[in-house]
Amino acid sequence: MSPALLRLLARSRSIDRRWIALATVLMLAAPLIWRIPLTMVPFPATVKLKTTIDAVPENKLIIVAVDWDSATKGECQPLTAAVIDYLLKNNKKFALFGFIPQGPELAQRLTEELARKYPGKTYGKDWVNWGYRPNVMNTLIAMMNDVPGTLKTDIRKNDLSKDPLTQMVPNLKEAGLLYHVSGTALFKSYLQFCAGVPLANAVTAVMGPEQYPYLQSGQTKGLLVGLGGAAQFEAVGDFKDETGAKGGEGYKGMGSQSLGHLLVMALIVLGNLGVWAQRRLDETTPPPDDEPSETPIDDQGEAA
Amino acid sequence: MTFSPASVDTMVMLVAVVSTLAILSVVYRENAFYRLFEHLFVGVATGFGIFVTWRDALSENFWQPLSHGSWYVIIPMLVSLLFYTVMIPKYAWMSRFLISILFGLGAGATFRGFATEVFPQVKSSFLSVVPRAATEAGAAVSTGQALNNIVFLGTLICVMVYFFFSFRHDNKIVTKTARTGRWLLMIAFGATFGSTVMARFSLLIDRIRFLLESGTAMGHWFR
């Protein structure tokens, strides 16, 4: 390979990070403007979640625990939206709840938006929002015995002991399913203190690999991982967006994800080629004769 | 002065667009605009947390019962205030009562939690490595599943051997098994790294989509 080409490749080791950032933004933005048709292949864990939701009887309430905030909204919102949309579409009743202050508020706004797609779906009849509660351990232990007595009121200050949806779950063990969405390790608390409650969960992609042992042991009845998990659920749930195209919020982001991953792979290859090229240049170019091999040090230990 | 809902929505969107651009500007370089919005974010999130904690927890569990004559709710509130004696050296010992109760509760809950979280996983790691038909004792195991189980058990043993630090790894079999365990861990870390890239991209995709949608909406307003 010619030295000029090697030098060019070697320069790839020091590309300004701002160029990389710009390339990333362009690669991620392009599929949002010009949609890339993608086929999602759902993982067995995604199919299992759908099967679990389908098997919940009509007289059982599904609890959607929304332990996320604006910091992980990019992933957790599509994961929440996919399941809530499916519950509304299939006439499943559900309650929103969370141990992170922003979670139930953001989920309420999202649910109101999704409910507009299905005429007749209203707050109090199809879903209830129990709001935020602090102190995970004590609240969960108390909810295992008495849900309305522990929570008392919903976000609109309605008495939960008179709420028809909350009456479907006198204690957590009576829940049809507890679906937990989070970018935190809070799911462990549910595993630890909600023995006997059917659990399923969705996590941000970074937490995905450590959730699989719970799936293998049957402690979680279904698992969605990151934006890809949301897109897969949209595929198995046969979602359509406002234009009639396949998928929803998760699907839209997956084109950008794919191009972004290609960019990362290309940059990794380029960086490695740069290191290889620099090594070749060092091997083939002799060091200049007049360059001192070592900086002389004087008696005081300082560089001369 | 009153604002129509549409103009409030417009203002909210503009604030969100400016905030997003301010936070993303750090990619170019650290700047005062970024730092201002970073502090704003922390402040707003804390303020919101305090408001929601009051509305959903303290108001209905403390203030409302107290204002309706349930004076006894003041007892746990006073006891919880003992935490703040930690700031007065002379009375700091009083806070230790609460801290010791919490330690005891935490230790008990952790023990119980460990049992309910980990024991099912220990149980589920007893897998058949031999294909078999369904019996009363258990479900059928196909050849594919048996192979999967062999990979699972091999990985489990290798990784566990890698984490045996209570003796020197000078036996050849132990050394090789531990080294295999280390390689398998590297594969797991690689999977986690790949997932991390996906997670970070998802957050950026959300913001880019928001900026594009806001841009389209604002384009309609100015037309």
Side-chain angles (χ1 to χ4, degrees), chain B residues 25-203:
Chain B
S25 71
V26 76
V27 177
Y28 183 70
R29 71 158 69 119
E30 169 81 26
N31 60 75
F33 192 48
Y34 162 74
R35 257 176 280 139
L36 170 72
F37 278 83
E38 189 190 26
H39 285 83
L40 268 176
F41 175 73
V42 174
V44 169
T46 310
F48 183 77
I50 292 169
F51 160 71
V52 176
T53 306
W54 174 261
R55 188 196 65 186
D56 290 356
L58 287 174
S59 168
E60 68 185 33
N61 290 316
F62 172 68
W63 185 248
Q64 281 177 26
L66 187 69
S67 56
H68 286 94
S70 303
W71 58 269
Y72 50 84
V73 292
I74 211 151
I75 298 170
M77 183 55 91
L78 286 174
V79 173
S80 68
L81 286 176
L82 287 180
F83 264 126
Y84 292 94
T85 59
V86 79
M87 292 178 207
I88 312 160
K90 197 177 167 189
Y91 301 108
W93 58 273
M94 294 171 114
S95 64
R96 289 187 203 146
F97 284 118
L98 289 182
I99 292 169
S100 56
I101 290 169
L102 282 183
F103 268 30
L105 269 173
T110 305
F111 183 76
R112 177 190 154 174
F114 181 80
T116 50
E117 185 194 339
V118 178
F119 285 2
Q121 288 185 41
V122 175
K123 195 180 152 197
S124 69
S125 65
F126 297 123
L127 296 166
S128 172
V129 292
V130 182
R132 63 160 195 232
T135 59
E136 277 181 22
V141 178
S142 67
T143 313
Q145 274 174 320
L147 282 172
N148 260 342
N149 294 348
I150 290 169
V151 172
F152 170 81
L153 285 174
T155 308
L156 183 71
I157 290 164
C158 290
V159 172
M160 285 186 78
V161 169
Y162 175 75
F163 283 108
F164 279 144
F165 295 132
S166 33
F167 58 86
R168 281 180 80 84
H169 289 195
D170 35 18
N171 181 299
K172 220 174 186 179
I173 298 170
V174 174
T175 315
K176 288 202 167 163
T177 314
R179 190 172 294 161
T180 312
R182 195 170 69 183
W183 276 101
L184 290 165
L185 279 169
M186 293 295 176
I187 294 169
F189 296 149
T192 305
F193 175 73
S195 300
T196 308
V197 173
M198 183 170 154
R200 301 295 174 254
F201 275 164
S202 300
L203 302 182

Side-chain angles (χ1 to χ4, degrees), chain A residues 34-150:
Chain A
W34 302 285
R35 201 167 169 176
I36 300 173
L38 283 174
T39 308
M40 293 305 302
V41 181
F43 288 174
T46 311
V47 180
K48 209 173 161 192
L49 176 65
K50 183 189 171 281
T51 318
T52 308
I53 293 174
D54 289 342
V56 174
E58 264 183 29
N59 61 342
K60 293 275 184 185
L61 190 79
I62 293 174
I63 298 167
V64 181
V66 277
D67 289 327
W68 52 272
D69 57 16
S70 49
T72 51
K73 180 175 162 273
E75 282 191 287
C76 291
Q77 182 165 297
L79 289 166
T80 311
V83 168
I84 288 179
D85 199 335
Y86 189 74
L87 296 178
L88 288 167
K89 192 163 79 172
N90 291 281
N91 300 316
K92 303 273 182 190
K93 315 276 184 215
F94 60 96
L96 300 168
F97 171 66
F99 288 112
I100 288 185
Q102 293 180 26
E105 301 288 330
L106 293 169
Q108 176 69 17
R109 212 171 61 178
L110 179 70
T111 310
E112 283 169 3
E113 214 169 280
L114 291 168
R116 277 187 218 124
K117 281 166 54 181
Y118 305 99
K121 297 285 171 192
T122 51
Y123 182 85
K125 186 170 78 69
D126 298 287
W127 85 93
V128 59
N129 191 335
W130 293 336
Y132 158 76
R133 292 294 181 281
N135 203 332
V136 184
M137 183 180 83
N138 292 348
T139 307
L140 285 180
I141 292 172
M143 284 172 77
M144 285 296 279
N145 295 317
D146 181 5
V147 170
T150 306

